Amino acid sequence: MNVVVLIKQVPDTYGERKLSPEGRLDRDVSDVIIDEINERAVEIALQLQEDVGGEVTVVTMGPKSAVDTIRKALAMGANKAIHIVDDGLAGSDALQTSGAIAAALKTIEFDLVIAGNESTDGRSSAVPAMLSERLKVSLLTNLVTLSVAQGSVAGTRSVENGTMEVRASLPAVVSVAEKIADPRFPKLKGVLAARRKPITTLSISDLGLFPLEAGGENSWTQVNDVIAQPARTSGTVITDDGTAGTQLAGFLAAAKLI
Amino acid sequence: MGKILVLAEHDQHALKDVTRELLAAAARIGEPVAVVVGLPGTGDALLAELGAAGAKTAYVAETEHAEDVLATPAVLALETVANTVDDIAGILIASSVDGKDVAARLSVRLNTGLIADAVNVEESDGTVMATQQVLGGTYSVKSTVRGIPIITIRPGTIEVTQPTSAQPSKITIDIVVDPVGSGQVVARDEDEIASSGRPDLRTADIIVSGGRGIGSKENFAIIEQLADALGAAVGASRAAVDAGYIEHKAQVGQTGATVSPRLYVAVGISGAIQHLAGMQSAKTIVAINKDANAPIFQFADFGIVGDLFEIVPQLIKAVNARRSDELINI
C-alpha cells in the first residue's frame, strides 16, 4: 500500500512569530521547523508500512528551505519526497495550495493520503478536505486511531461531544489529531540514509497550473487589514500570606466575575 | 444586501447554540437563509426555532444518510441551493470538526474562497469582510473573498439576537447521497465531559485550567471542584495532558482548544508560549503558581505566588461563602 504524507514547514510555536503588513508569515523572524503534527502523521504512515508494506512518500509545498522539513521526514524513515517549489506559489491560500498538491499527486500512485488535522500557523484545517474533493476520493478527518484493511481505512474520529467510529473505502484522504501516535526520533543511520533518498521538485509549469491558480496576487482570499493585538501586561501579583484565596475571591467579586 | 446561507447545526430535534450565532452573524451582513440537512422530519421539527433565530427562509434536505455519511449530504445541499438561488452574498458554517470539512469541500465545488474560524463578520459597500484572530490571538486580520465568501465562524464569538416569532418559509430540496465514496459513521460515543453538566470548554464564560503543578490525576479533582464552584469549564495545559492527569479534549493551547472566556484561572501552569497561544485573548487572567518567575505572571491580571493546595481550597470556600451570602440577601 502506498501512502502519501503531507508535511509543512511552519514557524516554531515556541519562538516569536510575526505577520507582515500583507498578512503573510514573516519567515525571517521565526525559526522554521516541521509542524509537529506532521511528524505524527509520518509516524503513523511508517507504522502502517511496517504492517502492510508499500512506500511512504512525503509531499510538501513551500520555499527552498522547506527541504529541511523533507529531510526530517526522510530521516524518520519515509522513502521519497515531492517538493512543490516555485516563487510564484508564495502567498497561495488553501484553495490554491490544495490545487497544487492535487496536481502533484496525479504524478504518482497512492492509496492513502495522511495529513495533520491542523497546521500551527494557518490553522484552517482546510487542505485535507479540499484535496479529497479535488481528487474525488473519500475523506476522514481528525482521527485519533487509524487502521487499514481490505481496501478500506477505519478509525476513531474525535468530535466536539465525543468520538465516532468511521470508515471509508480507499483511496482516501485522512487527517490525524495529536493523539494518533508519538513520533520516533530519527537515528543517525536514518539521517545519513535520508541524504540519498530521492526528492522530486515540481514547479508551477511542471504541475501544469495556470498562473491564476497560484500565488498571493491571485489568491481567492485577500487580506485587507492586519492589526497587532496589544501585548498583555502584568497586573497585581501577591505572595500568599495565608489569605490569598480570600483576596482572590474579593478581586473576582469586585470585577463581577463571581 | 444579498442572501446569506447558514448551515444549521442540530441534533435532529433542536438547534445547537452555534446555529443561532450563525443566523445572528448572517443578519449583520444580509438576509439570513437557513439550510437544514437532517433525517426525515427534521425540517418541520426545527422550523419554529430557525424562525425565532432570524431565518427568513429554510431550505430543507432530508435524507436517511444524514447521520451515517460524513459531510457529503451538507455539501450537496449547500451546492444545490447555491447553484439555484440568485443573489447569494455569503455562506456561513460553524467552525466545528464537521463544519470545517463541509466548508472546505464546498469551497472547491463552488470554486470560491474560504475564510476559516472567523470571530466577526461585517458588510461595507456590498462586500463581506471577516475578522480572524491568528498566531495565537496576537494578530487580528480582516479579509475578503473574490466571489461568494464561505466563512466558518468560531462558536461562542457572535452575540445572538432577540428571538422573533416569525415562521420561515420552508423549501424542500432533493439530494441523492451515495454512501460509497464518502466517509461513513459506524458508531457514535458521547464522552464524559459532554455529559458532566459542565459548560463546553470552547464557549465557556469561565475556565479553570490545571497544569503540571497539580502533580497527579487524583489531585486534578481540585481543579474540577474549583470549576464547579465557579460554574466553569475544566481545561488543562499540554503538560498536564501529556502527564495523563486529564484527557486530551481538555487541552488549551496551540495544539488544543483556543478559548477567549471572560475569566481564565490558570492553576499550576507555568505559561509556555504553547499554552498562551490558546488563552491570551481571555478578558481576565488569574494565575496561581508556586514559582514567582513563571511566565504566566507576566500575562495575569491577578497572580498569586504560593501553594495551590492551600490557596484553591480557601478560594472555593470564599466563593461558596459569597454565594450563600447572596442567597441570604435575596
Side-chain angles (χ1 to χ4, degrees), chain B residues 23 32 49 55-56 111 131 150 152 249 276 289 320:
Chain B
L23 287 166
E49 256 194 295
K56 302 280 184 253
N111 202 25
T131 307
I150 300 173
T152 60
K249 282 248 168 80
L276 295 172
N289 201 298
N320 288 338

Side-chain angles (χ1 to χ4, degrees), chain A residues 125-155:
Chain A
S125 305
V127 168
M130 287 176 170
L131 190 59
S132 79
E133 190 68 36
R134 290 193 185 279
L135 297 170
K136 298 190 168 44
V137 300
S138 43
L139 170 74
L140 299 176
T141 53
N142 224 30
L143 298 182
V144 293
T145 68
L146 170 60
S147 64
V148 171
Q150 290 158 357
S152 71
V153 51

Side-chain angles (χ1 to χ4, degrees), chain B residues 10-321:
Chain B
H10 58 83
D11 65 1
Q12 311 297 337
H13 309 290
L15 295 181
K16 291 188 180 170
D17 288 340
V18 70
T19 307
R20 277 179 277 277
E21 296 163 15
L22 294 173
L23 287 166
R28 292 182 190 173
I29 54 175
E31 180 192 322
V33 172
V35 176
V36 179
V37 183
L39 296 171
T42 311
D44 286 336
L46 299 179
L47 211 56
E49 256 194 295
L50 288 166
K56 302 280 184 253
T57 316
Y59 288 89
V60 177
E62 293 179 345
T63 162
E64 296 290 349
H65 291 300
E67 292 253 271
D68 63 8
V69 174
L70 292 165
T72 303
V75 172
L76 285 171
L78 287 165
E79 183 188 20
T80 306
V81 177
N83 286 334
T84 49
V85 177
D86 290 333
D87 195 26
I88 292 174
I91 302 173
L92 304 184
I93 298 173
S95 184
S96 58
V97 177
D98 285 335
K100 286 191 274 196
D101 289 354
V102 173
R105 289 183 53 191
L106 189 67
S107 163
V108 171
R109 287 224 181 166
L110 300 179
N111 202 25
T112 190
L114 167 69
I115 299 177
D117 208 28
V119 297
N120 193 22
V121 288
E122 57 199 303
E123 185 256 11
S124 70
D125 302 333
T127 305
V128 175
M129 182 135 56
T131 307
Q132 296 161 289
Q133 286 176 351
V134 303
L135 296 185
T138 48
Y139 291 89
S140 145
V141 173
K142 291 188 176 192
S143 304
T144 53
V145 162
R146 281 196 285 132
I148 300 171
I150 300 173
I151 301 170
T152 60
I153 295 198
R154 188 183 294 178
T157 53
I158 306 282
E159 208 163 310
V160 299
T161 47
Q162 284 293 324
T164 72
S165 56
Q167 183 87 350
S169 53
K170 177 185 159 189
I171 301 168
T172 306
I173 51 171
D174 288 323
I175 55 168
V176 180
V177 179
D178 178 8
V180 179
S182 285
Q184 294 168 43
V185 181
V186 181
R188 287 170 193 265
D189 190 16
E190 194 167 300
D191 56 28
E192 279 175 31
I193 286 185
S195 51
S196 68
R198 292 196 186 104
D200 178 51
L201 177 64
R202 285 169 200 268
T203 55
D205 217 25
I206 302 179
I207 296 170
V208 179
S209 280
R212 203 200 304 268
I214 306 302
S216 71
K217 192 172 177 177
E218 292 68 39
N219 287 351
F220 215 84
I222 200 170
I223 297 297
E224 292 171 1
Q225 287 158 12
L226 178 57
D228 290 342
L230 293 169
V234 170
S237 71
R238 184 173 183 173
V241 171
D242 285 350
Y245 301 168
I246 187 166
E247 60 179 330
H248 183 269
K249 282 248 168 80
Q251 186 169 316
V252 172
Q254 178 69 59
T255 56
T258 300
V259 298
S260 37
R262 230 157 35 95
L263 172 63
Y264 189 89
V265 184
V267 184
I269 291 176
S270 65
I273 289 179
Q274 219 280 342
H275 188 71
L276 295 172
M279 46 63 80
Q280 63 191 353
S281 60
K283 205 150 185 211
T284 301
I285 297 174
V286 167
I288 301 170
N289 201 298
K290 65 174 194 277
D291 176 8
N293 295 319
I296 191 83
F297 288 124
Q298 293 164 26
F299 296 84
D301 299 284
F302 193 96
I304 302 173
V305 181
D307 180 359
L308 71 96
F309 297 103
E310 300 282 336
I311 297 159
V312 172
Q314 191 182 76
L315 173 61
I316 293 171
K317 223 171 127 189
V319 169
N320 288 338

Side-chain angles (χ1 to χ4, degrees), chain A residues 2-252:
Chain A
N2 293 319
V3 179
V4 166
V5 183
L6 304 185
I7 62 173
K8 185 181 185 188
Q9 187 187 51
V10 297
D12 191 345
T13 58
Y14 286 89
E16 189 181 13
R17 297 184 295 171
K18 278 199 168 151
L19 282 190
S20 72
E22 296 79 39
R24 293 194 197 169
L25 275 171
D26 189 340
R27 290 173 190 268
D28 294 335
V29 298
S30 322
D31 290 331
V32 283
I33 55 166
I34 183 171
D35 208 343
E36 187 196 298
I37 192 69
N38 299 156
E39 295 182 63
R40 295 174 188 272
V42 171
E43 175 62 38
I44 193 71
L46 294 172
Q47 288 180 16
L48 284 175
Q49 183 184 42
E50 284 155 14
D51 285 347
V52 299
E55 273 197 319
V56 175
T57 306
V58 293
V59 175
T60 196
M61 174 167 134
K64 285 199 181 69
S65 64
V67 75
D68 296 343
T69 305
I70 290 174
R71 296 274 181 220
K72 176 87 193 261
L74 295 176
M76 284 177 73
N79 302 98
K80 56 193 175 68
I82 294 176
H83 186 182
I84 305 168
V85 54
D86 196 311
D87 290 344
L89 291 164
S92 294
D93 63 12
L95 197 55
Q96 294 170 310
T97 301
S98 67
I101 294 172
L105 293 189
K106 282 173 187 160
T107 66
I108 58 170
E109 283 182 16
F110 65 89
D111 303 291
L112 180 64
V113 179
I114 306 178
N117 60 344
E118 174 182 286
S119 66
T120 49
D121 53 359
R123 298 195 77 175
S124 74
S125 305
V127 168
M130 287 176 170
L131 190 59
S132 79
E133 190 68 36
R134 290 193 185 279
L135 297 170
K136 298 190 168 44
V137 300
S138 43
L139 170 74
L140 299 176
T141 53
N142 224 30
L143 298 182
V144 293
T145 68
L146 170 60
S147 64
V148 171
Q150 290 158 357
S152 71
V153 51
T156 303
R157 179 174 184 251
S158 178
V159 292
E160 283 79 7
N161 64 346
T163 55
M164 46 176 80
E165 297 306 313
V166 293
R167 65 166 300 282
S169 39
L170 295 174
V173 175
V174 303
S175 77
V176 295
E178 206 169 25
K179 223 170 140 184
I180 190 77
D182 286 327
R184 65 192 67 186
F185 287 106
K187 297 196 178 78
L188 181 61
K189 207 174 129 194
V191 175
L192 295 174
R195 292 184 191 163
R196 295 188 302 274
K197 289 178 177 173
I199 302 175
T200 307
T201 57
L202 295 174
S203 67
I204 290 176
S205 63
D206 293 335
L207 293 171
L209 297 177
F210 296 107
L212 280 176
E213 292 176 308
E217 294 291 307
N218 305 309
S219 165
W220 288 92
T221 45
Q222 295 292 338
V223 171
N224 295 62
D225 203 5
V226 176
I227 306 150
Q229 299 293 98
R232 287 193 87 98
T233 50
S234 168
T236 313
V237 180
I238 61 170
T239 300
D240 185 23
D241 59 356
T243 66
T246 312
Q247 288 185 56
L248 176 52
F251 168 83
L252 295 177

